[in-house]
Amino acid sequence: MTHQFSPLCPEKKKELADIAQRIVATGKGILAADESTGTMGKRLLKINVENTEENRRCFRDVLFSSDPSISNSVGGVIFFHETLYQKSDSGKLFPEVIKEKGIVVGIKVDKGTAVLSGTDDETTTQGLDGLAERCAQYKKDGCDFAKWRCVLKISDSCPSSLAIAENANVLARYASICQKNGLVPIVEPEILPDGDHDLQRCQYATEKVLAAVYKALSDHHVYLEGTLLKPNMVTAGHACPKKYSPQDVAMATVTALSRTVPAAVPGICFLSGGQSEEEASLNLNAINKVPLNRPWKLTFSYGRALQASALAAWQGKAANKKAAQDVFCKRAKINGLASKGEYIPTGSADQASKESLHTASYLY
């Protein structure tokens, strides 16, 4: 028997809705700087920089200490646990640096994926044990939103009904726990771009996954106005021989969302999924120009697609800090424009911004 039940008081609902709206205010998106220690190490390896806590801190300082105008394009930053307690070169804790710019602080709270038995090597995401206590502490430490990533894949047998149901349920439990502790949950059911599937196959899988996620969120009494969605764009697999235009991607993506995501959700912040920086910007721009009803903000939550050129410009050298910041700010501004459908490419995109950032079976 269904019954009306809400664990949230009106004041808590208003707080959550206000936070979500701040993050996805017009022209703003999210910087995903929550890479794990191992993933950050792979990034640093590409520029021949050792994976030490200090080097990780230095690169995050490049991003977080950028010109305050970055707040015109970035409404939220997702932190990794280590980074939340590190300080900038000026001696301030990173969350203070971000908040002084008027940007909302978020935190990754999942504990990574684990193989889901009874499937073709599909996964679920760990971290529900102790999550309420972690969320309460993060809220005290200045966080106002959280992120949890579930991962699905496309193959002849995937995504399976079991993997879809399990990951939807995990995301809903996480979201409910976050909201109870005053954190806006970013719900991230990522379908990996690995494989040779076409655009239509990805659209079908995306619709099935998102439909299950929003059924689970409803079952768990999650307050949708106080959530954000972080999905994959609908794209063909990286090994698909057919190439699709940004307009093709936009139409398939918004069609899938319009069939599955309630209008109550304030914002949809796409992950870049290994697209090049320029490709991620062009696709986001096309999504915001597609001639379909779009009741939500459609913006970005990019990691690699906001950081790759900045990392290449930095090269681990203090003397390059300003140059790297300039590159980062430029990319953020481009994506801010794309989130409004106002990005006009000049044709002068540098080579770094056009390089694919795809990593097979990507681990965060």
Side-chain angles (χ1 to χ4, degrees):
M1 178 68 184
T2 57
H3 61 282
Q4 191 168 0
F5 175 79
S6 175
L8 303 175
C9 65
E11 294 76 19
K12 183 64 71 70
K13 286 183 175 180
K14 183 178 187 308
E15 179 194 4
L16 292 168
D18 287 350
I19 292 167
Q21 292 288 355
R22 278 183 61 203
I23 295 168
V24 295
T26 301
K28 297 185 182 185
I30 297 170
L31 165 63
D34 58 322
E35 298 89 354
S36 65
T37 302
T39 298
M40 199 62 214
K42 293 173 185 174
R43 306 266 174 89
L44 294 173
L45 184 63
K46 290 181 179 178
I47 57 168
N48 297 311
V49 172
E50 188 181 355
N51 185 20
T52 64
E53 181 177 351
E54 175 57 14
N55 285 335
R56 293 191 296 274
R57 186 203 68 79
C58 283
F59 181 61
R60 261 77 185 244
D61 187 54
V62 168
L63 303 176
F64 301 160
S65 299
S66 293
D67 190 88
S69 65
I70 195 73
S71 64
N72 295 327
S73 308
V74 175
V77 174
I78 311 171
F79 280 69
F80 183 62
H81 179 87
E82 173 187 83
T83 320
L84 194 68
Y85 303 101
Q86 289 177 326
K87 293 181 179 179
S88 68
D89 289 349
S90 65
K92 286 183 182 175
L93 283 166
F94 279 144
E96 292 178 28
V97 173
I98 291 300
K99 287 191 170 189
E100 284 178 359
K101 290 179 167 69
I103 298 172
V104 186
V105 174
I107 182 73
K108 170 184 172 168
V109 296
D110 71 72
K111 298 287 187 179
T113 58
V115 173
L116 183 60
S117 297
T119 66
D120 182 16
D121 211 29
E122 293 177 284
T123 61
T124 184
T125 300
Q126 306 172 104
L128 290 174
D129 289 351
L131 179 59
E133 293 79 9
R134 296 202 308 280
C135 285
Q137 187 61 51
Y138 286 139
K139 183 71 175 180
K140 287 180 183 175
D141 294 339
C143 296
D144 284 314
F145 71 102
K147 192 202 85 166
W148 178 291
R149 177 180 183 248
C150 280
V151 185
L152 297 113
K153 62 181 181 178
I154 294 176
S155 70
D156 290 343
S157 58
C158 304
S160 66
S161 297
L162 175 59
I164 291 172
E166 163 65 15
N167 282 289
N169 195 60
V170 164
L171 282 167
R173 288 186 64 193
Y174 139 80
S176 178
I177 292 167
C178 280
Q179 290 191 331
K180 192 173 180 182
N181 288 281
L183 299 179
V184 167
I186 292 184
V187 175
E188 181 180 3
E190 176 178 5
I191 301 176
L192 294 173
D194 303 4
D196 61 0
H197 54 272
D198 63 14
L199 193 69
Q200 288 69 34
R201 178 86 170 88
C202 182
Q203 181 182 332
Y204 179 80
T206 299
E207 289 176 10
K208 293 303 177 188
V209 168
L210 291 178
V213 166
Y214 281 97
K215 173 63 165 66
L217 291 171
S218 174
D219 289 345
H220 285 256
H221 314 291
V222 172
Y223 176 58
L224 294 184
E225 291 85 346
T227 67
L228 295 169
L229 176 67
K230 180 172 179 172
N232 52 282
M233 293 179 189
V234 174
T235 61
H238 273 279
C240 179
K242 183 176 179 180
K243 300 306 173 189
Y244 296 87
S245 70
Q247 290 71 32
D248 294 332
V249 168
M251 183 60 75
T253 298
V254 178
T255 299
L257 296 171
S258 66
R259 290 173 176 171
T260 53
V261 182
V265 176
I268 297 172
C269 310
F270 295 102
L271 57 92
S272 54
Q275 299 175 63
S276 72
E277 290 179 331
E278 185 68 5
E279 185 182 10
S281 300
L282 291 172
N283 283 339
L284 179 60
N285 194 64
I287 283 168
N288 278 288
K289 296 180 79 169
V290 76
L292 294 173
N293 185 38
R294 304 185 301 276
W296 345 259
K297 294 285 178 58
L298 293 168
T299 186
F300 60 92
S301 178
Y302 292 168
R304 288 168 286 178
L306 266 176
Q307 300 178 37
S309 289
L311 187 68
W314 177 56
Q315 292 292 317
K317 297 171 183 172
N320 294 339
K321 182 175 180 179
K322 177 66 167 59
Q325 289 177 329
D326 289 346
V327 170
F328 169 61
C329 289
K330 177 184 176 184
R331 201 76 236 168
K333 184 178 180 181
I334 286 172
N335 285 309
L337 290 170
S339 73
K340 298 183 286 184
E342 296 175 3
Y343 173 44
I344 302 172
T346 61
S348 61
D350 58 45
Q351 197 54 42
S353 72
K354 294 181 178 180
E355 289 179 4
S356 172
L357 303 171
H358 175 244
T359 302
S361 302
Y362 184 60
L363 298 173
Y364 216 77

